[in-house]
Amino acid sequence: MTHVSPDSTIPHEDPSFYRTLLESTKAIPWRIDWQTMRFSYIGPQIEQLLGWKQASWITVNDWAERIHLEDRQKTVDFCVSQSQNGVDHEADYRALTADGDIVWIRDVVHVLRRPDGSVDSLVGFMFDISERKKAEDKILKLQEELETLSYKDGLTGVANRRMLDALLDVEWAKSRASRQPISVILVDIDFFKQYNDHYGHRAGDQCLKRVAHVLDAAATRSRDLCARLGGEEFMLVLPETDAAAALQVAERCRKLLTRESITHAQSHVSDSVTVSMGIGTIVPDSQDDLSEFLELVDRRLYQAKANGRDWIEAGAA
């Protein structure tokens, strides 16, 4: 059995040991007297981290004023509320350095109570979590980017079918509730198979990208959506758009595509790429069905192609 010499123990009355232990860590210890709301102690590490002199941490106001304005009120309110209830807690916030920079802090707070249950003081540690926050922000950004990509067509960059289906349901419900018209334009690139066969699939992909860019540019309002259905088919969703305005958007698509002038030697209607379009406009009520409306638009697209292509078939439901 190993015996420990009494001389090797730390006398309970020796505070220097504990102070040295606390001040040798990266965590910053502190203590606040609850009655006076004044710091009775804060570790000297605070100067290296935030630049504020150790002696300048006098009251809780000094702490609060060194919290970023956007985080200040909610952090102070939360900590005061938890402390009043005697609940140990943690708070993450952006602290201001003496030079005006920002450091992310995690404050871990322990409430000390008197025998009668009243709050005596607060003790805790401040931790620099800036690197952790950077990593978390990077992960969140990547997650947002992945979420965005999951709603984008990988080739053309416009919305994909998943986004289209989700948005159509929402806009249909809004249109029904507000009694405002909604228009849909279904677009098909004329003789695209012949284009692919003649120029190759790589050129076909570039053609799809350019057409998508034109259609997206024609739908100019923030709620307008251009989506790729698949293959050479696209759809424009135009909320709060009547039949006349939808026809104007379709004509703008044709005009911009003509200006794009994508050579198509195998087209039977033009020397450049053209599109056929079917348009539908409706103010839906409880009796109307979205899928039936879209079938109507699809029939109009078929009619536009039957009319010789490079054609717009429009009308109100």
Side-chain angles (χ1 to χ4, degrees), residues 260-278:
E260 190 74 12
S261 189
I262 307 170
T263 302
H264 191 348
Q266 298 301 306
S267 172
H268 299 169
V269 295
S270 174
D271 293 333
S272 61
V273 169
T274 61
V275 295
S276 297
M277 290 180 270

Side-chain angles (χ1 to χ4, degrees), residues 86-100:
V87 178
D88 294 347
H89 55 279
E90 298 180 2
D92 293 355
Y93 57 86
R94 289 167 291 178
L96 301 173
T97 70
D99 295 331

Side-chain angles (χ1 to χ4, degrees), residues 67-80:
I67 298 175
H68 191 284
L69 187 60
E70 293 179 5
D71 299 343
R72 186 176 301 164
Q73 195 61 52
K74 63 181 179 182
T75 302
V76 172
D77 290 348
F78 172 73
C79 290
V80 169

